[in-house]
Amino acid sequence: MTFALIRVAAGPRLGLGHVRRAETLVRALGRPCVLSVRGAGQVRGGVPVVPAAGPGATLDAVRPRVLVLDDPRQGSSHPWCVAARRQGVPVVSIHDLGLASVPSDLAIDGSIVRRGRLAARRSLRGPEFAVIATPRRRRRGGRVRRVLVSLGGGPRVTLAARLASMLHRRWPALDILVTGGEGDGDGFAWVTAPLGLAPWLARVDAAILGGGVSLYEAVAAGVPSIGLAVVAAQQPTIRGFAARGLVLDAGLASRRADGPASVVRQMDRLLADGPWRAHAAVEGPRVLDGGGAARVARAIVALVEGASRG
């Protein structure tokens, strides 16, 4: 019997962050789960994907014990919530920054900053409930030799490549890795990350990332990072981490061909400020201990068991 039907959004503009989070949650649950995907995202993980259909038809076909919604668009999640209510299926909703609130039974928001009011009957909020892959920490040296640049898919790959080339010209001794592309890089190397960034974060000394799930993973792994918002909605997350001294804030990505000068300024600081790097390496894993997925999984199981007894 399927334990959870997880409805996620994925596509060229949204990326695969919601899918990766769902996969992390499925591993923590350790029970049979399936995905329903809104959008054109290419899902290649180990979780089965059900054919596209409406909320009621999908719930009828899958007959899950719980519905999990992870979609940044409230209008897309609400019909699924209503359909599950009609069928007596408990609903869990996962949020970022309090967005896309729906009247679920349990809301999860692991954001570093608390914003908005969630309409759920019960909510778990704060970075201790961030559903992220288990960080792979390693002993880090004092110098920065290898840097990872990852800003997401689609046009963001082009931006990441421009930034990497710019960094290479200024610091030619750095070994720069960039996700999302292929072929010969201009002073950097392309790398693939089909299962997320955790393996690469264990191999680098610093990172330049957007304000999504990957930034949470880097902080949890103790990787000194620069946050560059590729959309305005990512700025509160980056600012929240920066306020705790865990990330350097490069602002909102510029559309200029040479990339934002703020990234260069923040990289100057990152390379020169050994004490800050040491602080980020120690305090990041304290704020994000990597146990959020397990805590959320236990809460979901408790919700389902409670509904069964009721």
Side-chain angles (χ1 to χ4, degrees):
M1 180 178 182
T2 299
F3 179 76
L5 167 63
I6 307 178
R7 174 69 173 178
V8 298
R13 292 187 178 182
L14 289 169
L16 294 175
H18 299 282
V19 174
R20 297 289 172 256
R21 184 156 61 186
E23 292 169 344
T24 298
L25 180 58
V26 169
R27 288 193 293 271
L29 285 168
R31 300 171 185 229
C33 301
V34 297
L35 296 183
S36 170
V37 180
R38 174 180 72 81
Q42 296 289 327
V43 180
R44 298 179 181 177
V47 185
V49 179
V50 300
T58 303
L59 287 163
D60 282 337
V62 176
R63 301 181 66 82
R65 297 185 66 189
V66 63
L67 170 67
V68 179
L69 301 171
D70 190 352
D71 191 318
R73 186 185 298 172
Q74 182 184 40
S76 298
S77 289
H78 194 269
W80 287 81
C81 190
V82 172
R85 285 258 186 268
R86 289 173 179 165
Q87 298 190 20
V89 178
V91 180
V92 176
S93 54
I94 300 179
H95 307 270
D96 296 299
L97 300 171
L99 299 173
S101 178
V102 293
S104 58
D105 297 287
L106 174 65
I108 309 295
D109 191 336
S111 302
I112 190 67
V113 292
R114 179 175 294 197
R115 299 180 71 190
R117 178 182 176 276
L118 297 174
R121 294 175 179 175
R122 179 180 174 231
S123 61
L124 300 175
R125 307 187 72 168
E128 63 268 35
F129 299 107
V131 180
I132 59 174
T134 302
R136 303 183 187 182
R137 305 186 187 103
R138 69 173 177 84
R139 188 177 184 86
R140 304 189 185 281
R143 292 180 59 190
V144 175
R145 296 179 175 87
R146 178 178 287 178
V147 179
L148 176 68
V149 182
S150 183
L151 300 177
R156 301 170 187 179
V157 175
T158 302
L159 173 61
R162 288 203 301 265
L163 285 175
S165 296
M166 178 180 66
L167 295 175
H168 170 71
R169 289 192 295 271
R170 186 172 179 88
W171 294 283
L174 288 179
D175 180 13
I176 303 173
L177 310 177
V178 185
T179 64
E182 56 186 15
D184 296 326
D186 179 16
F188 61 87
W190 292 109
V191 296
T192 60
L195 300 179
L197 295 185
W200 288 112
L201 291 171
R203 305 177 191 177
V204 300
D205 305 302
I208 300 172
L209 305 165
V213 173
S214 295
L215 190 62
Y216 283 82
E217 292 178 341
V219 171
V223 179
S225 300
I226 296 170
L228 176 65
V230 294
V231 292
Q234 293 183 350
Q235 288 184 288
T237 294
I238 295 172
R239 290 168 179 166
F241 279 122
R244 296 196 182 200
L246 302 177
V247 166
L248 300 180
D249 183 2
L252 184 63
S254 168
R255 295 182 180 275
R256 293 182 304 166
D258 61 348
S262 58
V263 173
V264 172
R265 290 195 298 270
Q266 296 296 12
M267 181 57 75
D268 264 326
R269 177 184 170 187
L270 187 150
L271 294 173
D273 196 341
W276 178 81
R277 296 198 306 272
H279 170 82
V282 172
E283 292 301 321
R286 291 179 179 173
V287 173
L288 285 167
D289 63 5
R295 295 184 187 99
V296 170
R298 288 194 293 269
I300 292 174
V301 171
L303 171 68
V304 172
E305 292 177 348
S308 299
R309 289 193 297 269

